[in-house]
């Protein structure tokens, strides 16, 4: 361990992977691991994490505890052992994650310093980010990294040219990092500029060509006259389009959910449409944008952009791509330069794209971007705060309807390394593939001894049934009582002997009467035996009962009793 208990091996946060055959097994395993590590101060957290990753099979019930130091990791294990989950724990059932989709965030999610934490922590991310920034700088004449970092002036990253370039650089680097950890998508999709990043990840362009497209898209949009506006409306698409028929300068820019539509266009047209929708009861929210994206105001840039898309080489996606332009799976369509021109002008049909992914079997959505914007939209299936290019809204992710999960790789205001590892852990606990050995590659971790599996002991051998047998066939009389087996009249006298076989197997309720750690046959039980014996011979009252010694019942054997009733005396009493 490093000074202060921080983890070593150049790993800012460490995942400890635990699993069990059942919920009880998972809890037991977490508890046993916690006790084992707590009692061995010499164990390094990275070594423990590596050993858990490569030496243990992943069972159905899973948890990943993520921490920056030993105390945090042990606290997380204690929570799992107690059946609780905290902020640094992902848990779930590996019942099958469905297919995995990477969904790429659009403009509006950008933030100053995005990716800085991952750049410092993971060389794979840093190398990919630098490569993309170098490709973009050839067209933009300035470092995208500088604008994202402290060298950028206030508000510069929110300018369209830098926002789009910055998002593309961060998202491509995130894909490379996830791939190095063994997390790869079955499908990709994105929101506006995010779809451009998704297309690159799917193999539509080479990196130099993708950088040319991204740079030209942002520059041409930035060069348009400022003005126009965008407003998120909580209303259905059909209702919005009906209102927009009266306002020629406004258009639907995005459909993010059943009642989550974004309107874009001239200030006057959008204001008129919004006023009418608000009067009908729709909630509205103005978005902070420099331009009215996905509206008629984009048309002056389309011809120039068509020249760029016509110059680059475009290929059929090698990873299935669901487009928010069509709301469906696309293939040859993306090789048409005009597809990407329409992509600038026409609405973002994000809700349709998500439904297409669900139809294709996707149940795990990994949001690739600097915040959880799309996770908020997808997991809630359509709040009003949608986004089209710059229509960013809140954050939030987690398990949703139909067993699906939305997992943002990064979150605004949260530690980036921790957030990324938790997202990957979210894939794993659902049964998805993660290369944990790849995660620890280059850390210098070594294998250490771990505790054996916390087996949950459960008896499956059948317990022998206790039968009283047929006493009548043996020439005896049944006593007709649960504590007495047979009544035997004594030959040559008027006396009777009753027999009994008492055991905890036949009478488990007797175990409730424990004194000094021993199970004793209760005094009321002796009284009950005397009363039943008296009833048998016509004596309806017990005048005196003296207990000379207690009867101890053993756990694995039976006590054989005899209750003897003598002949009646002159007064009819018996002993």
């Amino acid at each position: 361990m490093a000074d202060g208990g921080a983890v070593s091996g150049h790993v800012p946060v460490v995942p400890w992977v635990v699993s069990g055959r059942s919920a009880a097994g998972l809890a037991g395993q977490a508890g046993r691991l916690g006790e084992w590590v707590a009692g061995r101060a010499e164990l390094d957290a990275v070594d423990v994490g590596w050993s858990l990753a490569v030496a243990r099979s992943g069972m159905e019930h899973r948890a990943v505890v993520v921490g920056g130091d030993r105390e945090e990791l042990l606290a997380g294990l204690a929570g799992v052992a107690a059946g609780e989950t905290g902020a640094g724990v992902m848990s779930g059932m590996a019942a099958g994650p469905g297919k995995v989709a990477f969904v790429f965030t659009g403009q509006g999610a950008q933030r100053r310093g995005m990716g800085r934490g991952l750049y410092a922590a993971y060389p794979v991310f840093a190398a990919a980010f630098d490569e993309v920034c170098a490709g973009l700088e050839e067209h933009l004449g300035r470092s995208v990294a500088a604008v994202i970092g402290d060298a950028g002036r206030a508000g510069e990253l929110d300018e369209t040219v830098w926002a789009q370039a910055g998002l593309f650089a961060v998202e491509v680097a995130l894909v490379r990092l996830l791939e190095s950890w063994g997390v790869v998508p079955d499908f990709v999709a994105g929101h506006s500029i995010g779809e451009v990043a998704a297309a690159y990840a799917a193999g539509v362009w080479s990196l130099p060509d993708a950088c040319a497209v991204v740079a030209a898209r942002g520059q041409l949009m930035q060069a348009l006259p400022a003005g126009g506006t965008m407003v998120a409306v909580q209303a259905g698409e059909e209702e919005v389009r009906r209102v927009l028929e009266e306002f020629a300068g406004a258009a639907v820019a995005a459909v993010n959910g059943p009642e989550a539509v974004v309107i874009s266009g001239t200030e006057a047209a959008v204001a008129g449409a919004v006023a009418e929708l608000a009067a009908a009861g729709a909630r509205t929210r103005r978005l902070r944008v420099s331009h009215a994206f996905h509206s008629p105001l984009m048309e002056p840039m389309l011809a120039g952009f068509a020249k760029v898309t016509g110059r680059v080489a475009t290929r059929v996606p090698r990873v299935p791509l669901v487009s928010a332009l069509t709301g469906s799976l696309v293939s040859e369509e993306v090789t048409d330069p005009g597809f990407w021109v329409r992509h600038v002008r026409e609405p973002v049909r994000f809700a349709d794209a998500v439904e297409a992914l669900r139809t294709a079997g996707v149940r795990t959505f990994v949001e690739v971007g600097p915040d959880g914007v799309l996770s908020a939209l997808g997991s809630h299936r359509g709040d009003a705060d949608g986004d089209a290019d710059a229509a960013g809204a809140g954050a939030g992710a987690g398990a949703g309807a139909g067993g699906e999960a939305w997992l943002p790789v990064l979150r605004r205001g949260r530690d980036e390394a921790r957030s990324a590892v938790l997202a990957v852990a979210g894939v794993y606990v659902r049964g998805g593939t993660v290369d944990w050995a790849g995660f620890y590659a280059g850390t210098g971790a070594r294998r250490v001894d771990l505790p054996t599996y916390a087996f949950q002991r459960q008896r499956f051998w059948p317990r022998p049934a206790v039968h009283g047998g047929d006493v009548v066939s043996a020439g005896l009389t049944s006593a007709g009582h649960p504590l007495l087996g047979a009544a035997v009249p004594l030959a040559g006298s008027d006396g009777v002997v009753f027999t009994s076989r008492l055991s905890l197997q036949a009478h488990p309720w007797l175990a409730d009467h424990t004194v000094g750690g021993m199970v004793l046959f209760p005094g009321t039980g002796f009284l009950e035996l005397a009363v039943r014996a008296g009833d048998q011979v016509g004596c309806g009252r017990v005048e005196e009962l003296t207990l000379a010694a207690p009867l101890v019942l053993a756990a694995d054997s039976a006590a054989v009793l005899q209750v003897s009733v003598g002949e009646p005396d002159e007064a009819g009493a018996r002993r």
Side-chain angles (χ1 to χ4, degrees):
M1 299 293 292
D3 293 342
V7 297
S8 63
H10 307 291
V11 183
V13 289
V14 171
W16 284 359
V17 179
V18 291
S19 64
R21 292 292 185 194
S22 63
L26 173 63
Q29 190 69 2
R32 178 170 291 189
L33 177 62
E35 292 175 0
W36 178 274
V37 175
R40 293 164 175 79
E42 73 280 4
L43 288 178
D44 183 276
V46 175
D47 292 342
V48 173
W50 160 262
S51 302
L52 289 169
V54 302
R56 294 289 172 87
S57 299
M59 301 180 197
E60 294 87 347
H61 293 261
R62 299 180 176 183
V64 180
V65 178
V66 177
D69 56 41
R70 182 189 185 92
E71 289 69 28
E72 186 179 7
L73 289 161
L74 289 175
L77 285 177
V80 176
E84 304 168 353
T85 55
V89 176
M90 293 292 288
S91 62
M93 179 76 173
K99 292 185 170 63
V100 176
F102 284 3
V103 289
F104 292 75
T105 319
Q107 191 173 338
Q110 70 276 357
R111 54 180 170 83
R112 192 77 169 267
M114 59 184 178
R116 180 182 296 167
L118 296 182
Y119 190 97
Y122 303 112
V124 170
F125 181 94
F129 182 79
D130 287 343
E131 182 183 10
V132 178
C133 287
L136 291 167
E137 190 172 354
E138 292 182 13
H139 304 278
L140 300 176
R142 188 178 173 200
S143 168
V144 175
V147 175
I148 293 175
D150 296 331
R153 68 178 185 275
E156 189 173 19
L157 184 58
D158 292 330
E159 295 176 3
T160 297
V161 60
W162 300 114
Q164 295 192 12
L167 287 169
F168 180 75
V170 169
E171 290 174 0
V172 170
L174 283 175
V175 170
R176 300 275 179 83
L177 180 63
L178 292 171
E179 289 175 343
S180 74
W181 294 345
V183 182
V184 295
D186 299 302
F187 293 86
V188 294
H191 202 294
S192 199
I193 184 63
E195 186 170 323
V196 177
Y200 166 71
V204 172
W205 298 292
S206 66
L207 183 59
D209 283 347
C211 288
V213 170
V214 170
R217 191 180 192 272
Q219 287 174 318
L220 290 168
M221 287 183 177
Q222 187 71 38
L224 292 171
T229 189
M230 301 180 73
V231 176
V233 179
Q234 188 176 33
E237 180 183 4
E238 184 177 346
E239 178 185 1
V240 171
R241 289 193 180 277
R242 187 168 57 251
V243 171
L244 290 180
E245 291 176 358
E246 304 174 15
F247 301 94
V252 170
V255 182
N256 293 318
E259 292 191 348
V261 176
V262 177
I263 300 173
S264 181
T266 64
E267 180 71 39
V270 172
V274 167
E276 188 169 327
L277 287 164
R283 291 172 51 201
T284 66
R285 184 175 70 88
R286 181 180 291 268
L287 306 177
R288 292 184 300 172
V289 295
S290 60
H291 296 80
F293 302 105
H294 298 280
S295 79
L297 296 182
M298 293 289 103
E299 291 177 2
M301 62 145 304
L302 298 183
F305 190 52
K307 293 179 182 179
V308 176
T309 59
R311 285 198 301 265
V312 297
T314 311
R315 295 177 288 273
V316 173
R318 64 173 181 270
V319 178
L321 169 65
V322 172
S323 174
L325 174 62
T326 64
S328 61
L329 190 68
V330 291
S331 181
E332 295 284 349
E333 303 97 307
V334 302
T335 63
D336 178 4
F339 178 92
W340 298 104
V341 176
R342 291 171 50 214
H343 187 265
V344 169
R345 168 62 183 84
E346 295 184 18
V348 178
R349 306 199 64 84
F350 178 69
D352 291 344
V354 171
E355 287 304 318
L357 290 169
R358 288 180 177 129
T359 300
V362 172
R363 293 297 178 270
T364 302
F365 297 80
V366 178
E367 181 171 358
V368 180
D371 202 359
V373 176
L374 301 183
S375 296
L377 293 172
S379 60
H380 292 100
R381 299 205 175 191
D383 290 338
D385 295 336
D387 71 316
D389 239 328
E404 72 182 34
W406 288 77
L407 304 167
V409 179
L410 296 179
R411 295 292 299 274
R412 187 185 300 267
R414 301 188 186 181
D415 180 82
E416 290 190 337
R418 182 183 301 270
S419 180
V421 174
L422 282 170
V424 170
V427 174
Y428 173 77
V429 298
R430 292 171 58 77
T433 300
V434 175
D435 179 10
W436 291 115
F439 176 89
Y440 284 101
T443 64
R446 60 188 179 85
R447 187 164 173 176
V448 294
D449 289 336
L450 296 172
T452 56
Y453 183 73
F455 288 102
Q456 301 303 295
R457 308 291 179 183
Q458 184 176 355
R459 179 184 174 93
F460 289 99
W461 289 104
R463 297 186 183 276
V466 179
H467 299 290
D470 182 7
V471 298
V472 175
S473 63
L476 306 174
T477 301
S478 174
H481 191 276
L483 295 179
L484 294 171
V488 184
L490 296 178
S493 74
D494 196 17
V496 180
V497 173
F498 296 85
T499 62
S500 177
R501 188 177 187 276
L502 301 176
S503 70
L504 298 183
Q505 287 73 35
H507 309 93
W509 53 270
L510 291 173
D512 295 336
H513 190 252
T514 302
V515 178
M518 296 183 293
V519 179
L520 303 182
F521 187 66
T524 53
F526 285 108
L527 179 60
E528 176 66 21
L529 294 177
V531 169
R532 178 65 188 90
D535 289 341
Q536 183 76 14
V537 296
C539 294
R541 184 177 63 186
V542 176
E543 292 185 350
E544 182 181 349
L545 178 66
T546 302
L547 301 181
L551 173 59
V552 179
L553 298 177
D556 55 357
S557 61
V560 178
L561 302 182
Q562 288 186 349
V563 181
S564 176
V565 181
E567 294 183 286
D569 60 17
E570 295 178 356
R574 295 178 183 247
R575 292 180 181 274

